Amino acid sequence: MNGSNLRRGTFTILLALCATPWVGTAQALVMGIAVGLLQANPWPRQTARYSKMLLQASVVGLGFGLSLGEVIQTGKDSIWYSVIGISCTLLLGYGLGKLFKTGTNTSALISFGTAICGGSAIAAMAPVLKAKSDETAVALATVFTLNSAALLLFPLVGHWLQLDQNTFGVWSGLAIHDTSSVVGATSAYGATALAIGTTVKLTRAIWIAPVVMAASLIKGGEQQARIPLFIIGFLGAAAIRTLLPSYEHIWGELAGVAKQCLVVTLFLVGAGLSREVVKQVGIRPLVQAVSLWVLVSALTLVALKLPWSA
């Protein structure tokens, strides 16, 4: 068996294992990263495309595990954290970009991705800023690298600080970049953390549309942004569960399948972290992104632990 066939065979076996209940989210991520860094992903373009599609389908499926009332209440409870957090993150990102002399567009994309929803937010904002392909790629690679770190670090910090599942879910939803990483970190922490973290993150992702439109008006452009369809699907699934409670066992099964699909998704996400991506990030964008992320994570956790949040 030549090297190419060996890589494909190993990748296929590990992917199949991730579809079984014996592999959890953290294990899938580590396996994916090992494949990406040690032997190289044999199908990088395909896995990038399918991981995005599978994530969106999984998020919709998770909606069957929640009632519409739970979704609305969680979103309402976290809205002020979202508004204040987005504003402060964008301001901090601007300041850090100036401090570390990161390119203007790269700095703005990193800040926007950190403030709202990682790669989705960066992709939506790039046309407004007329960012070059390499600027967008660096911002995406930087945020993607930190997403992988968040999946492993957040549960460790949460257990070390003895955070309850409610606090951990809200913190993850506000401080982790992408939906996939929020889901991965919270699912490893507990079912309640997963439900809360996913809802908070999706509520935050809705802000992509108004912020992109505001930036477009400031820049004098015509770029429009719409609420991602998978968020609408998530809300629709929760509404179906609420309106048809007699089929709760079916909704529970669908939510369970969605959770296992997320394990597969995280393997694919991890496999996308190649040596080339790590090299592409560069030192200045990485220092800015890490500094911004650490500040946002720490300040968000402090805010959640203050008396007014109780």
Side-chain angles (χ1 to χ4, degrees), residues 59-66 234 236-238 240-241 248 250-252 254-255:
V59 168
V60 172
L62 288 175
F64 287 109
L66 298 167
F234 174 83
I240 291 172
R241 178 189 174 97
E248 187 171 349
I250 296 178
W251 312 140
L254 288 174

Side-chain angles (χ1 to χ4, degrees), residues 10-23 264 267:
T10 302
F11 187 94
T12 303
I13 292 171
L14 293 177
L15 181 64
L17 280 174
C18 290
T20 70
W22 304 313
V23 178
V264 176
F267 172 78

Side-chain angles (χ1 to χ4, degrees), residues 9-98:
T10 302
F11 187 94
T12 303
I13 292 171
L14 293 177
L15 181 64
L17 280 174
C18 290
T20 70
W22 304 313
V23 178
T25 51
Q27 296 164 308
L29 176 69
V30 171
M31 287 160 55
I33 292 175
V35 167
L37 295 180
L38 298 179
Q39 71 162 32
N41 183 346
W43 299 293
R45 292 183 180 178
Q46 293 90 332
T47 53
R49 182 170 69 251
Y50 289 128
S51 65
K52 182 178 180 181
M53 294 168 56
L54 191 58
L55 169 64
Q56 294 175 349
S58 299
V59 168
V60 172
L62 288 175
F64 287 109
L66 298 167
S67 70
L68 196 57
E70 290 175 306
V71 173
I72 293 172
Q73 185 61 46
T74 301
K76 186 171 67 174
D77 289 345
S78 64
I79 187 168
W80 287 113
Y81 287 114
S82 294
V83 173
I84 295 170
I86 290 169
S87 302
C88 291
T89 300
L90 291 175
L91 288 172
L92 277 171
Y94 176 80
L96 289 171
K98 291 293 185 183

Side-chain angles (χ1 to χ4, degrees), residues 159-220:
H159 287 301
W160 179 52
L161 296 177
Q162 298 182 333
L163 300 180
D164 59 71
Q165 290 202 33
N166 181 76
T167 301
F168 184 82
V170 176
W171 181 47
S172 297
L174 294 175
I176 297 178
H177 301 82
D178 272 337
T179 304
S180 59
S181 295
V182 172
V183 171
T186 53
S187 62
Y189 208 79
T192 301
L194 172 62
I196 292 173
T198 303
T199 305
V200 170
K201 190 61 186 178
L202 295 182
T203 302
R204 194 177 182 89
I206 293 173
W207 286 89
I208 291 176
V211 174
V212 166
M213 285 187 280
S216 181
L217 289 173
I218 293 171
K219 299 282 287 186

Side-chain angles (χ1 to χ4, degrees), residues 141-165:
T142 305
V143 167
F144 181 78
T145 302
L146 295 182
N147 274 328
S148 300
L151 274 163
L152 301 176
L153 292 177
F154 265 61
L156 292 176
V157 173
H159 287 301
W160 179 52
L161 296 177
Q162 298 182 333
L163 300 180
D164 59 71
Q165 290 202 33

Side-chain angles (χ1 to χ4, degrees), residues 103-151:
T104 303
N105 283 344
T106 303
S107 173
L109 291 174
I110 289 172
S111 301
F112 191 58
T114 304
I116 301 183
C117 192
S120 300
I122 290 171
M125 183 61 81
V128 175
L129 299 177
K130 295 182 171 59
K132 298 177 182 177
S133 58
D134 61 318
E135 293 171 329
T136 304
V138 168
L140 287 169
T142 305
V143 167
F144 181 78
T145 302
L146 295 182
N147 274 328
S148 300
L151 274 163

